[in-house]
Amino acid sequence: DVKVTQSSRYLVKRTGEKVFLECVQDMDHENMFWYRQDPGLGLRLIYFSYDVKMKEKGDIPEGYSVSREKKERFSLILESASTNQTSMYLCASSSLLAGTTYNEQFFGPGTRLTVL
Amino acid sequence: GDSVTQMEGPVTLSEEACLTINCTYTATGYPSLFWYVQYPGEGLQLLLKATKADDKGSNKGFEATYRKETTSFHLEKGSVQVSDSAVYFCALSGNTGFQKLVFGTGTRLLVSP
């Protein structure tokens, strides 16, 4: 089974702190994604990566950065956390199939971040 | 841009009742359509998908048919169980460019015994 793990289920940080959210997948997937999930807004894509050291902005990248130094690991960084970044953060991964535009994304359990 | 609209919840049903969760979409071309489910305390998992018009996706008793004429992909189940209580997300992926998903806002389903 594909497994996507996230470093913490719950995290509480203070405004202005630098926050690292880690995601690891064990299926050698090329693509990795970071979403945030908020009530009434569904999931919104923050950043994604289709290869090591490659990254692309999603729909709401402001206030976030990412790092992908190894294929299995994709980190989301909040340089200076703010209260409006309190949310559920979900990581996902998928493999790259030649000749298709979509392959199933596998999600981690999420990290619920509270910024005080 | 592409978008997905799904009915607001919560949807509250008794066990063995029929379920329909409406989903409509706006997209250029011919997107692929998906239903994801999120059980309490877990991440999302793919429930079913359809990649072209008139395709029917099915899994675990759930079904959805890709209707291009009405731009809809409604989720249905004939008899729900308490274990179906979860949040259901409709999503699409455009047929060009990178493998990005566009999600609806989610519909919470609560099934009581």
Side-chain angles (χ1 to χ4, degrees):
Chain A
D1 280 353
V2 174
K3 193 150 188 181
V4 180
T5 56
Q6 296 184 227
S7 51
S8 305
R9 294 298 299 269
Y10 299 93
L11 208 53
V12 180
K13 296 291 182 181
R14 299 228 172 253
T15 302
E17 280 193 79
K18 190 168 185 175
V19 182
F20 293 87
L21 302 183
E22 305 286 340
C23 175
V24 177
Q25 51 92 4
D26 66 358
M27 285 302 292
D28 202 35
H29 283 172
E30 292 82 6
N31 308 321
M32 297 189 75
F33 308 81
W34 274 107
Y35 296 89
R36 64 177 282 176
Q37 180 181 5
D38 300 289
L41 296 176
L43 276 73
R44 293 177 292 167
L45 182 63
I46 305 171
Y47 267 96
F48 61 97
S49 168
Y50 52 88
D51 201 354
V52 176
K53 297 193 184 295
M54 305 301 290
K55 60 185 179 184
E56 294 286 341
K57 292 180 180 179
D59 299 317
I60 51 163
E62 296 79 18
Y64 303 94
S65 62
V66 290
S67 172
R68 188 147 181 222
E69 296 296 320
K70 294 185 177 181
K71 191 175 185 180
E72 67 271 18
R73 186 180 298 270
F74 192 35
S75 302
L76 180 69
I77 303 155
L78 287 68
E79 294 289 342
S80 178
S82 63
T83 55
N84 63 12
Q85 293 178 309
T86 291
S87 186
M88 171 72 87
Y89 290 87
L90 292 167
C91 176
S93 72
S94 71
S95 62
L96 185 65
L97 282 183
T100 69
T101 57
Y102 178 78
N103 196 26
E104 178 183 351
Q105 292 185 20
F106 295 86
F107 284 80
T111 295
R112 185 166 294 282
L113 172 67
T114 302
V115 182
L116 302 175
Chain B
D2 297 348
S3 67
V4 174
T5 302
Q6 61 182 107
M7 60 190 290
E8 287 195 31
V11 174
T12 304
L13 295 173
S14 297
E15 204 164 25
E16 299 183 3
C18 294
L19 169 71
T20 300
I21 300 178
N22 291 334
C23 171
T24 57
Y25 68 89
T26 301
T28 54
Y30 303 91
S32 295
L33 301 173
F34 311 89
W35 278 100
Y36 275 80
V37 59
Q38 184 179 34
Y39 297 104
E42 299 182 12
L44 278 69
Q45 54 187 275
L46 180 65
L47 180 61
L48 53 84
K49 66 180 181 184
T51 57
K52 61 183 187 295
D54 300 325
D55 267 2
K56 177 186 281 188
S58 61
N59 186 24
K60 299 182 181 180
F62 290 89
E63 293 183 339
T65 301
Y66 187 166
R67 301 281 188 205
K68 187 159 177 62
E69 64 276 13
T70 54
T71 61
S72 65
F73 193 55
H74 304 321
L75 183 68
E76 299 176 325
K77 188 174 186 184
S79 176
V80 294
Q81 306 300 313
V82 172
S83 57
D84 294 326
S85 297
V87 181
Y88 293 82
F89 291 91
C90 186
L92 69 80
S93 177
N95 61 351
T96 59
F98 191 69
Q99 303 175 6
K100 291 167 59 175
L101 280 173
V102 175
F103 286 90
T105 54
T107 302
R108 182 175 299 278
L109 170 64
L110 300 170
V111 181
S112 56

